[in-house]
Amino acid sequence: MDSFQIKTGRRIALVSLALACVSSPVAWWMEREHAEDSAVAMAIEESQRLLAQHPDAFSLDPLVAASSGQKAATALIGGLFDIAELYDRRGMKIAESSTSKGELIEGQVPSHGRPAYRSSFYESLELPGGPWVLRIFIPLRAEHPVAETGVRGYFEGVRVIPDWQRRQMLSGAMMSAALVALAALLCGAVLYPVVVHLTAENREKTRDLLRANISMMEALGRAIAKRDSDTGAHNYRVAWIASRIAEQLSWTGEQMQALIVGSFLHDIGKIAIPDAILLKPGKLTEDEFALMRTHVQQGEDIIGSIQALGPANEVVCAHHEKWDGSGYPRGLHGPHIPMSARVFAVADVYDALSSRRPYKEPMPFDDVMVVLGKGSGHHFDPGVIQVFEPIASEIFQRLSAADESQCRKLLEGQLQRYFQIAPRC
């Protein structure tokens, strides 16, 4: 099992755990709401039974109403309610009865004025000391209303939720959470191999596309090198050198990828330069040099037309700019030059000086470093020169006797590392 499969399994397990943690309080809330709704429904049912069994509870005769009302209130406690109160239609209390639990909490239940509500409602209260109570308010209506409102009286009940019901609610909440977690785990177990397969397939397709883009980059680079009477080694070298400098600057990810692609394709615009100028053995005239300079704009146009090569644009369009502003094509200076182009400029000039060309021999390493040092602050970003100097000797040792195949292997190592593609078996 590879790291991806392990990470996927962990994520599915974490999602299942998260669902369980979320479902538990939700289930508790639902159980509580269910208990409250059940109590209200039973209270309404009890109130209707009250009217049927004790029709004199709301008699206009105060003595008859008090006697019958007290019997009704007493009948209501001990089962569903711990406190029962009856009021006449004017909101005057007719009778009241309570259990021992009701007597203990009666002083803690908030008082209110005369009832005058027209529909049933309830309050859920957490009293000091921990008791959870439901307080229910129900207007009692007669079949033949005695007033315009149709209200014959009012019933108010208080129920202390017993411990067994609390435990039942907690048990129900835990059961719901367990079922949700189990369902998530089962679903994850079924989906896990599918997700792993599809993701692995997608990753391989992504790698194939990346390999195709890199192959296209390599083909274009070699085409440039062939036109310039050179092997492709220069492109491999400068891309590798630039990436080594960037490593000292802690570059990773897309920033490093853009630098490598841009370095490899920096002279792509030379494809559009006529052979008479590109291959001229002698010094170029001013007009010829002006035409040669257009390879930068030609490169921008080519790169801009290929979406996959878009990140290379900064190096392609600014690799001939100089720190002091004397470069071309835009005369950018200092920090206005893209950082990737500043890094590449050091790599490009170092390779041009230290490598063999058809028209020159390689310059000794110490002489190369002197030239680069003199160019610091003029041609080159001093900060880039500063990070290049400590690794220059190691780069020289790696490249001084390397042929094109060896240079290619060096760059392939960077491609595998920063583009996260493994070579095919």
Side-chain angles (χ1 to χ4, degrees):
M1 182 178 292
D2 61 23
S3 61
F4 167 73
Q5 293 174 324
I6 294 174
K7 289 180 180 179
T8 301
R10 286 176 179 172
R11 287 171 182 169
I12 291 175
L14 287 174
V15 169
S16 301
L17 180 61
L19 285 173
C21 292
V22 171
S23 66
S24 183
V26 170
W28 168 262
W29 178 82
M30 292 178 65
E31 287 286 334
R32 178 166 176 157
E33 287 291 307
H34 177 69
E36 294 174 350
D37 291 342
S38 297
V40 173
M42 292 179 68
I44 293 174
E45 185 178 341
E46 286 292 301
S47 68
Q48 298 303 322
R49 185 172 65 84
L50 171 70
L51 283 175
Q53 294 184 359
H54 302 278
D56 295 333
F58 303 100
S59 171
L60 296 178
D61 186 334
L63 294 178
V64 174
S67 175
S68 182
Q70 188 60 47
K71 291 178 182 179
T74 301
L76 286 168
I77 65 167
L80 183 62
F81 298 102
D82 292 287
I83 299 176
E85 298 176 346
L86 292 177
Y87 297 84
D88 64 19
R89 62 186 178 86
R90 294 171 299 177
M92 302 298 294
K93 184 181 289 187
I94 298 173
E96 178 182 5
S97 187
S98 61
T99 63
S100 57
K101 287 184 181 179
E103 292 175 355
L104 290 174
I105 66 168
E106 188 170 10
Q108 301 179 54
V109 177
S111 60
H112 62 84
R114 289 185 181 184
Y117 39 86
R118 295 292 177 261
S119 58
S120 302
F121 67 99
Y122 71 92
E123 296 175 344
S124 180
L125 305 172
E126 293 283 350
L127 300 180
W132 170 30
V133 302
L134 290 179
R135 191 177 186 185
I136 301 166
F137 305 85
I138 300 174
L140 303 174
R141 304 178 187 278
E143 292 182 5
H144 304 288
V146 296
E148 292 182 3
T149 61
V151 176
R152 189 175 181 184
Y154 300 91
F155 165 61
E156 297 183 3
V158 176
R159 171 175 173 78
V160 179
I161 303 299
D163 291 338
W164 66 265
Q165 192 169 13
R166 284 176 176 254
R167 290 193 297 270
Q168 186 181 57
M169 291 166 61
L170 179 59
S171 176
M174 296 303 295
M175 180 63 70
S176 297
L179 288 174
V180 170
L182 179 61
L185 286 171
L186 290 175
C187 183
V190 173
L191 291 177
Y192 174 74
V194 178
V195 171
V196 169
H197 173 73
L198 292 177
T199 305
E201 190 176 69
N202 184 62
R203 290 169 68 189
E204 186 57 35
K205 287 181 178 178
T206 301
R207 290 192 185 101
D208 287 341
L209 179 60
L210 187 56
R211 290 188 188 101
N213 289 336
I214 291 173
S215 296
M216 175 176 63
M217 173 193 80
E218 193 170 3
L220 287 171
R222 291 182 65 83
I224 300 164
K226 292 298 183 183
R227 284 219 60 217
D228 205 12
S229 297
D230 190 12
T231 66
H234 170 66
N235 291 332
Y236 292 123
R237 288 195 302 266
V238 293
W240 182 75
I241 295 169
S243 70
R244 291 287 287 111
I245 297 173
E247 285 177 338
Q248 305 307 303
L249 297 170
S250 301
W251 288 16
T252 57
E254 294 181 358
Q255 191 178 27
M256 179 68 86
Q257 293 173 6
L259 174 66
I260 292 174
V261 175
S263 298
F264 199 85
L265 298 177
H266 65 283
D267 274 340
I268 189 172
K270 286 185 177 179
I271 290 176
I273 303 300
D275 288 348
I277 295 176
L278 190 64
L279 305 180
K280 184 177 180 179
K283 186 177 180 181
L284 298 177
T285 67
E286 290 187 7
D287 291 341
E288 289 172 336
F289 189 62
L291 186 58
M292 176 65 82
R293 284 183 171 186
T294 64
H295 82 275
V296 176
Q297 182 60 54
Q298 299 286 357
E300 285 189 66
D301 294 340
I302 294 171
I303 291 295
S305 65
I306 305 174
Q307 185 177 3
L309 301 179
N313 194 52
E314 285 190 350
V315 173
V316 172
C317 72
H319 69 281
H320 281 296
E321 302 288 355
K322 296 183 180 181
W323 185 256
D324 61 7
S326 62
Y328 67 91
R330 296 176 176 85
L332 302 178
H333 68 278
H336 298 288
I337 304 172
M339 188 64 193
S340 56
R342 287 182 256 161
V343 169
F344 173 77
V346 174
D348 190 33
V349 173
Y350 170 83
D351 185 69
L353 296 175
S354 62
S355 61
R356 178 178 284 101
R357 295 292 175 87
Y359 52 85
K360 76 172 190 69
E361 290 298 314
M363 184 180 291
F365 173 74
D366 291 339
D367 293 346
V368 172
M369 296 308 297
V370 170
V371 173
L372 292 179
K374 289 181 179 179
S376 179
H378 300 287
H379 189 158
F380 310 112
D381 178 348
V384 177
I385 292 294
Q386 186 176 2
V387 300
F388 175 69
E389 288 176 339
I391 62 172
S393 177
E394 181 251 331
I395 289 175
F396 177 78
Q397 295 298 326
R398 297 288 295 273
L399 295 179
S400 59
D403 58 18
E404 181 176 352
S405 176
Q406 292 170 322
C407 292
R408 179 177 181 177
K409 287 182 180 180
L410 287 174
L411 183 60
E412 283 180 349
Q414 298 296 73
L415 293 176
Q416 292 172 22
R417 179 175 182 181
Y418 294 108
F419 288 79
Q420 297 181 349
I421 57 171
R424 289 186 178 276
C425 297

